[in-house]
Structure formats: C-alpha cells, structure tokens
Amino acid sequence: MSLESTARGRSFLAGVERAVVAGFGRSGQAAARLLAAHGVACTVVDARPREALAAGLAALPAGTDYAAEDGAGPALAGADLVVISPGIDTRKPPYAGALAAGAPFLSELELGWRFVEAPLVAITGSNGKSTATALAGALLAGSGLDARVCGNIGTPLCDALAEQTAATRFVVEVSSFQLEQVRAFAPDVAVLLNITPDHMDRYDSLAAYAAAKERIFTAQTPAGRAILCTDDPGAAAVAARLAAREGGPRRVAVSAAPQDPGIDAAWPDGEHLAVRLDGTLRRPARRDDLPLPGPHNLLNALAAVAAALAAGAGEAAVAPALRAFRPLPHRLEPVGEAGGAAWVNDSKATNVESARMALRSFPAGRVVILLGGRDKGGDFAALVPDLADRAHRVICLGEAGPRIAAALAGPLAGRVALEVAADMEEAVARAAAAARRGDTVLLAPACASFDAYRNFEERGEHFRRLVARRVQEEGHGP
C-alpha cells in the first residue's frame, strides 16, 4: 500500500494547514517531507541560520518558511501542529512557553506512526536498544518478512513508510527524547530493556527520565504486548504499574531466572532460550547460537526473540538468524589485536551503566579501560565495584577525565592503577604501554562524545583507526 493510501494518517492531518517542524536534523527533515507530501505547509525552526539548512530546505515546496529559534514564538503560537525533533529540549525557550500555552506538540515518532498500517515493534531502554532492535529486525527478515529497522538507530520512521505491505514489520528503536511528546502512540509490541541513569543533563530527575521511557506503554490496550526485562529494577517497577492498570497490554517478563509456568515470559532454560507467548512454550534456539558476549546481551536477545515471535517471526528462523548476527559497530566491537591484547570498541557505552555491562563481558583483572568524554551527569563512583573486579588500569580522557579520576582515585587506591590522558590518541598510547598479553583494552567511555566528536560513531572510528595503526605496525590484523 502506498503512503498516500494511509487513511489514518490523512485523517489525522485533516484540518492541519500550517505546521512547525522544530529542529531540522534527520528526523525533522523526514517529518517535513512527510507533511509536504500531504499538502501541509511548514515552517522550519532551527538554531542554525537558514544558509546552513539550504540543502534540506531545497527539497521542500517553495512555500516552506524558516524561523530562527530565538524568534520562533509567533510561528509556534500560530501552528496547528508542532513536530518536535528529539534533540530539542522543551524545557528551554521558546518551546517551554509554547508548551505552557497549549501549542499542539508531537514527536516525529508519532507523526510517522500515524501513517503505519503494518505491525510495529518499538524498543527502548537506557542500554542495549540498538542491538535488540537490529536483532529483532534480523529475526523477522530471516522469516521472509519485510523488516524495516528504523527510528533512533538511523532512518527516521517518517522516511521508512513507503509501500507498506502485509509482509511489512517496522522495528523502531525509540529514545526517551522521542517519547516525551507522544499522545496516542501504541506499538503492537513495546519492549523496555532497562532504566538506569542517563541524560541527567536533560532531565530534572531519574524519575522524570523513567517517566519518559514508560510512555512507550501509555496508549497500549489489551491488543498490544508489553515486553519488559524484569531483572532490571526500573523496568520491574514499570511492569508492576502495568499489572495494576486496567485495560493495559499483555505482559511478557524477560529474566535470567526460570519463570512461573503461569505467565508469558522469556528466559534461559538450561542450554536453550525459552519463550512462552499466549501460554505456548517454545525453545527456538540454543544459548550458544548467540554470538554476542556478556550477560546483558543474553537478556537483550531474549527480549528481541520474544518481540520478533510476537510480531510474526517463524520459530525455525530464530537459531539461524542468531548465529548469523554480528555486533553492531561501536558496541563491544572487536577492532584488532596489538601487543598481545584484544582491543574492543564500545564507544556506544555513553553512560555509567553501559560501561559497567561492558566490563562484565570480560575476565576479571584483565581489562584496561578508557573512560571519559562529555559528562551527562553520571555517577562515576558506581563504576568502582566493577572496575575493582575486572580492570587493572583506568585511563581517563577528555573533558570529563579529571572529574572521573577524582571520583575514582580514593576508592581504587592500591587496587587499580589510574591515569589521565588529554585526548584519545594519548589514551590509546597509554593503554598500549599498560596492556599485558591476554588483556582486553576496552573503550567504554560512560560519557557522551560531544567534547571532541560529532557523535559516538566518530569517536569509535577514531579509536578504530588508532588501533589499526598499531596492528599494522605489528604486521598482523584482528
């Protein structure tokens, strides 16, 4: 079916004559193109000058307006719809005032969802959501379905809509930022992996961040399915609230422990992965079919398998798809061996909890870890138990390096060596000098990348290049 035939989306836009698209990055451009395709005139609002947006604006109809962010109050006040990009902090002007005045804000995620007619799986969590999203998409594709992996992982949902068919399945990675401004968003299958402190520079409290994550379930009915990793305290609390909600979705508990026969769940059952949906028990794969390291990835895989089966994946496709799956770039990605040590790029570990999970994927006492970047309000002292168990050296770098070193110096004194490097190049050189044969040198920064890089991908690629140079100097590859 074509985009234009999507009746629900057309009905939603009926009466919308003028929309504001706030933020003109990937998701904002996708939203503007979708609105333009349905005859809605747009005003683009961005902190950057018009000249910086020229290429994206040129792809829109001639009637598209532009307003600088610091003068966008009138445009926001007069809009029938404000599509907000995830990078926009609505606590700040001019958006806070417009929200308070009742401007009709909506995320790009929900705008796209309004045009979805195929089954949709949405996956969120503080950590692991990209891996779980990609894996669920691979499981569905392995079943012969038209799996469209999109959202926060790359392609905006608004750009993934064209030519839906009965075989289409959308698998959408969803961030807390995207969920802040949803109203009726009701995925057929919603997954919550975990809630741990992240983006504390954006949220006033952990409770506010958790509430944004929980919005993935708010509009679900008994027709929908909610999959939650209940070993995580934050996700378990959400599961308890869903259980108490009348008319809520069907729940599936994901856990590393055996589960009660009376509930739908996913868990490791001996050497197998077990999934019970609607009372039917399946063991579609063995644990050793999963090539991803770490106990956290076992839970991610169980959630992805449960979600894919719930969305129509065939049981026979699970094991082959698991065996064929490879880590996404910058997520526990092996990038070479130099000096007898394995070098691993986990640049996507942008918060404290993800760095802890990365550490737990490797043998005790054999890790040299690189921490640092731009602080997002993380509690670096929470790393101490895992560092003391797994690492023998910590190298702190970047803008947050001195703060991390100060937080760790006392607790790790006499147990784990601690150094501070100015930048990635110096940190890699120090790591190479400290690593022993059989060690793992792990980039798991526990910080954002924006002190020195455009994004975590650019940071990971820089690390990869530095490692490749050392590998080449030694004359052998990964």
Side-chain angles (χ1 to χ4, degrees):
M1 66 193 70
S2 69
L3 188 71
E4 288 72 26
S5 71
T6 309
R8 182 174 65 172
R10 289 205 320 272
S11 175
F12 172 68
L13 290 180
V16 175
E17 296 182 2
R18 168 65 61 176
V20 166
V21 174
F24 204 55
R26 279 188 303 190
S27 65
Q29 291 180 46
R33 287 191 293 268
L34 176 60
L35 290 167
H38 289 274
V40 177
C42 291
T43 298
V44 169
V45 172
D46 200 278
R48 295 167 292 174
R50 181 193 291 268
E51 298 74 41
L53 313 179
L57 290 171
L60 297 175
T64 303
D65 291 331
Y66 162 84
E69 188 175 69
D70 58 5
L76 292 167
D80 300 311
L81 179 68
V82 178
V83 181
I84 195 85
S85 297
I88 299 292
D89 186 346
T90 55
R91 298 174 303 172
K92 298 178 179 179
Y95 308 106
L99 263 178
F105 278 45
L106 196 71
S107 71
E108 178 270 331
L109 170 71
E110 179 156 342
L111 176 65
W113 172 79
R114 299 270 183 168
F115 287 84
V116 167
E117 293 190 355
L120 183 143
V121 177
I123 299 176
T124 197
S126 301
N127 302 300
K129 56 186 178 291
S130 295
T131 294
T133 300
L135 182 51
L139 293 165
L140 289 161
S143 302
L145 296 166
D146 171 28
R148 304 189 185 187
V149 175
C150 55
N152 194 60
I153 198 170
T155 303
L157 179 57
C158 283
D159 272 346
L161 295 168
E163 302 302 327
Q164 303 170 55
T165 72
T168 299
R169 300 292 186 274
F170 293 95
V171 187
V172 189
E173 180 188 331
V174 179
S175 72
S176 60
F177 296 171
Q178 291 171 306
L179 289 165
E180 288 173 4
Q181 300 296 332
V182 295
R183 304 177 194 167
F185 178 63
D188 299 275
V189 180
V191 179
L192 175 60
L193 299 172
N194 44 61
I195 300 175
T196 59
D198 198 5
H199 301 298
M200 291 297 100
D201 53 344
R202 167 95 166 221
Y203 293 97
D204 296 327
S205 65
L206 179 59
Y209 169 62
K213 289 287 190 192
E214 190 169 348
R215 290 176 68 85
I216 197 169
F217 304 113
T218 299
Q220 278 191 307
T221 69
R225 204 180 297 266
I227 298 174
L228 304 99
C229 292
T230 51
D231 289 358
D232 175 78
V238 175
R241 287 192 286 275
L242 286 178
R245 190 177 103 195
E246 187 175 351
R250 294 165 290 164
R251 298 180 310 285
V252 180
V254 177
S255 175
Q259 294 296 291
D260 188 309
I263 67 168
D264 281 0
W267 71 100
D269 185 15
E271 296 303 313
H272 291 83
L273 305 184
V275 179
R276 186 186 296 110
L277 296 175
D278 298 325
T280 299
L281 177 63
R282 309 171 191 178
R283 293 184 178 85
R286 296 175 58 85
R287 290 179 66 160
D288 57 13
D289 288 325
L290 178 67
L292 304 177
H296 62 297
N297 274 323
L298 175 60
L299 292 177
N300 293 339
L302 283 164
V305 170
L309 290 174
E315 185 174 344
V318 172
L322 287 178
R323 289 194 293 267
F325 190 75
R326 294 295 176 265
L328 297 175
H330 316 297
R331 297 158 176 89
L332 288 179
E333 175 192 19
V335 292
E337 183 177 317
W343 293 67
V344 176
N345 167 26
D346 200 28
S347 182
K348 185 62 171 68
T350 58
N351 59 53
V352 167
E353 185 63 20
S354 56
R356 291 179 64 200
M357 293 298 103
L359 279 162
R360 293 175 190 179
S361 301
F362 301 101
R366 302 309 306 267
V367 176
V368 176
I369 186 169
L370 279 60
L371 295 171
R374 174 154 294 170
D375 183 8
K376 296 194 291 181
D379 177 13
F380 298 110
L383 287 165
V384 167
D386 293 291
L387 290 171
D389 181 40
R390 304 287 170 153
H392 67 82
R393 188 169 298 264
V394 177
I395 300 172
C396 305
L397 70 148
E399 190 176 273
R403 177 170 179 249
I404 297 172
L408 300 179
L412 292 181
R415 296 194 286 174
V416 179
L418 188 66
E419 302 181 42
V420 177
D423 55 26
M424 184 68 74
E425 192 152 357
E426 182 183 345
V428 166
R430 287 175 175 267
R436 308 171 301 202
R437 186 165 297 277
D439 279 354
T440 297
V441 179
L442 172 66
L443 173 66
C447 290
S449 58
F450 305 124
D451 60 329
Y453 304 96
R454 288 177 298 174
N455 47 48
F456 73 85
E457 293 97 337
E458 186 177 82
R459 175 172 62 189
E461 286 159 8
H462 187 203
F463 178 74
R464 190 191 290 139
R465 288 195 305 273
L466 293 170
V467 175
R469 185 187 307 164
R470 292 187 171 274
V471 170
Q472 186 175 32
E473 289 169 357
E474 292 191 8
H476 56 81

